[in-house]
Amino acid sequence: MLTRPPLTRPALTCPLPACPPPARRPQARLPRARLSLVRRPMARAAGVAAAGAVLLGASPAPAAAAPADDVRGGQQPVLDTLELPKAWRSTRGGGVTVAVLDSGVDRLHRDLAGSVTVGKDFTRGANPPGVRPLRLHGTYMASLIAGHGHGPGGSRGVIGVAPEAEILSVRVILEDEEPGFRVFNTDPRFEDVMARGIRYAVDRGADVINLSLSKDLPSREERAAIRYAIDRGVVLVAAAGNDGAGRPGRVAPYSYPAAFPGVVAVGATDRRLRRATFSNGNSSVVVAAPGVDILGAGPGDQYWIGRGTSQATALVSGVAALIKAEYPRMSPPLVARALTASATDRPPGGYDTGTGFGVVNARRALAEARRLARHTETATGGQAQDPAAPVGGGAASPIRVVARDRDRARVYGVVAAVAAGGMLASVATMYVLVRRVRRAQSHQDA
């Protein structure tokens, strides 16, 4: 299981953005643990630092909240990297539903209000009765995908990649800090929650599924759920994992569902758009996105900043949502093609295991999707074969089965072989006789 240190509460003040570098904390592994959120440490940022990340804003007292323009300003580097202002001239994700399979989403956050449908909780029974979900990680991811801001014209707070998209929250994981976390990771009842969550999201109309979580080992049920989603035109985007630190030049472990065929596996880049040190590097990585110092929303109108392949995955899910908004019938393989063919900062040779085919770019991805949409997946025209019609043309009819007598066929084969042998013997005999006659004539002439 890929794990992360517990959420750290800030204790050391510092002015943003000049906070000290993150401190590394030991990571604990739970026995038989199956599913884990893929994130680095996060913390609140009302001008305070913590191990691994900083949380911006929002204590219960309004005076303590970070100014909203600080939040939007902090997002600007990511918005520019993805060229979102230009992409939004074409679409802002309206009409698309993105399922966030995570720890739950705060639907009342001012930057998400009106955009979130709370779906099924597949973790029910893990926490003791009366314990409310924390919904930290899920709210954070949802805001990066479909946050619409607040205030005049939505100019304050978090703006997501697809701000007009709808979020379907499906709870399939607990926060590390929740009291039922150990039960959830050891009780067989929760073995296939991710597979069930995927099928649930597909059946409720999701166009894109964001999976900012991971497992060490896959299951047959998860593989089948992935196939179920792709067969129904749903794009799946998953985090490659945060186990890459300390492995320079070496392949990091594969994580699932990112490593399943058909899933868009996402790595994280740093501020220089190079592979972030923690991001897993292996051949499952398809594309990358910014994953360091990413601002997002937290429950209770808080704002968070953190790092991880989770954040990068949410950004890519948002770009996929923009593509599906423009081209609703585009198949998952073509959406993936649009993401990869349009990526920027491509590695030498066009691909590497750290950032895949490069860093996603929303404007370019929409342009590539537009080009791909001009090509049909089924040939048309007078000479094209209708895939619903019989290959030979005409009405379909029962297949005529011809029964063959194997014994008779064997006899015929023997007869044919004998006849062929006799013919060859005759030809050989004639050849010998002709040569003898020619030799006799030659002797007489001499």
Side-chain angles (χ1 to χ4, degrees):
M1 182 184 75
L2 296 174
T3 59
R4 64 154 185 91
L7 189 69
T8 306
R9 299 303 176 191
L12 175 67
T13 61
C14 78
L16 289 173
C19 291
R24 291 193 58 81
R25 295 167 58 99
Q27 294 187 341
R29 289 182 178 267
L30 298 177
R32 295 180 59 207
R34 299 181 180 88
L35 195 60
S36 171
L37 297 175
V38 182
R39 56 170 161 147
R40 306 289 288 176
M42 299 183 301
R44 248 180 344 202
V48 289
V54 183
L55 158 88
L56 253 187
S59 69
D69 56 353
D70 285 355
V71 175
R72 190 64 59 86
Q75 285 191 281
Q76 201 58 49
V78 173
L79 302 182
D80 292 341
T81 296
L82 273 59
E83 290 196 77
L84 283 170
K86 294 180 180 179
W88 288 335
R89 297 173 187 171
S90 300
T91 178
R92 294 169 68 87
V96 171
T97 298
V98 181
V100 177
L101 272 61
D102 213 290
S103 63
V105 178
D106 178 9
R107 64 182 181 85
L108 299 180
H109 192 289
R110 55 189 172 180
D111 295 343
L112 287 166
S115 297
V116 178
T117 297
V118 177
K120 188 171 181 177
D121 180 0
F122 287 93
T123 71
R124 189 178 301 277
N127 275 333
V131 175
R132 298 184 62 185
L134 295 178
R135 301 171 303 193
L136 304 175
H137 192 265
T139 302
Y140 190 6
M141 298 304 108
S143 71
L144 297 179
I145 298 168
H148 51 58
H150 66 276
S155 60
R156 298 184 176 184
V158 172
I159 187 79
V161 175
E164 293 181 4
E166 299 292 323
I167 294 291
L168 172 62
S169 173
V170 183
R171 182 166 152 92
V172 298
I173 190 75
L174 269 66
E175 306 283 350
D176 296 11
E177 299 77 27
E178 294 187 59
F181 181 74
R182 183 177 295 272
V183 172
F184 174 78
N185 279 283
T186 55
D187 193 319
R189 289 180 296 164
F190 307 109
E191 176 70 34
D192 295 312
V193 290
M194 182 169 63
R196 285 182 276 152
I198 290 172
R199 289 179 179 271
Y200 175 88
V202 172
D203 292 342
R204 277 148 188 81
D207 302 290
V208 179
I209 297 179
N210 184 82
L211 297 157
S212 292
L213 40 78
S214 75
K215 292 179 64 176
D216 292 334
L217 297 173
S219 74
R220 182 176 301 174
E221 290 76 12
E222 290 155 1
R223 187 183 299 275
I226 296 291
R227 183 171 62 248
Y228 181 81
I230 294 174
D231 285 348
R232 285 154 182 78
V234 180
V235 180
L236 298 111
V237 187
N242 297 335
D243 205 29
R247 300 174 180 269
R250 292 191 297 157
V251 173
Y254 289 86
S255 64
Y256 296 88
F260 280 121
V263 176
V264 179
V266 182
T269 62
D270 58 20
R271 291 181 178 181
R272 298 180 303 160
L273 301 183
R274 302 293 182 263
R275 183 187 73 86
T277 56
F278 55 80
S279 183
N280 282 12
N282 56 55
S283 59
S284 72
V285 178
V286 176
V287 290
V292 173
D293 297 337
I294 306 299
L295 272 158
D301 286 342
Q302 294 179 339
Y303 296 99
W304 298 77
I305 184 170
R307 59 180 62 191
T309 53
S310 279
Q311 290 87 329
T313 300
L315 296 175
V316 175
S317 290
V319 177
L322 295 179
I323 295 173
K324 292 291 279 187
E326 281 285 274
Y327 308 101
R329 297 178 62 84
M330 183 166 284
S331 66
L334 288 184
V335 173
R337 169 68 181 173
L339 293 170
T340 57
S342 62
T344 60
D345 290 88
R346 300 178 76 86
Y351 178 86
D352 70 21
T353 56
T355 59
F357 289 96
V359 180
V360 292
N361 181 290
R363 178 190 64 82
R364 289 165 56 95
L366 284 171
E368 180 66 17
R370 187 177 307 114
R371 186 186 71 81
L372 293 172
R374 294 199 299 266
H375 303 282
T376 59
E377 295 181 72
T378 302
T380 58
Q383 296 182 347
Q385 168 65 31
D386 182 355
V391 175
S397 60
I399 298 174
R400 182 169 174 258
V401 179
V402 178
R404 300 188 183 276
D405 189 331
R406 292 186 178 182
D407 293 335
R408 180 176 295 181
R410 189 176 297 112
V411 171
Y412 288 162
V414 171
V415 171
V418 171
M423 183 186 301
L424 290 174
S426 299
V427 171
T429 301
M430 293 175 62
Y431 176 76
V432 171
L433 292 174
V434 168
R435 284 185 60 84
R436 286 181 179 179
V437 170
R438 286 182 177 179
R439 286 179 183 176
Q441 290 177 349
S442 298
H443 288 305
Q444 291 176 0
D445 292 341

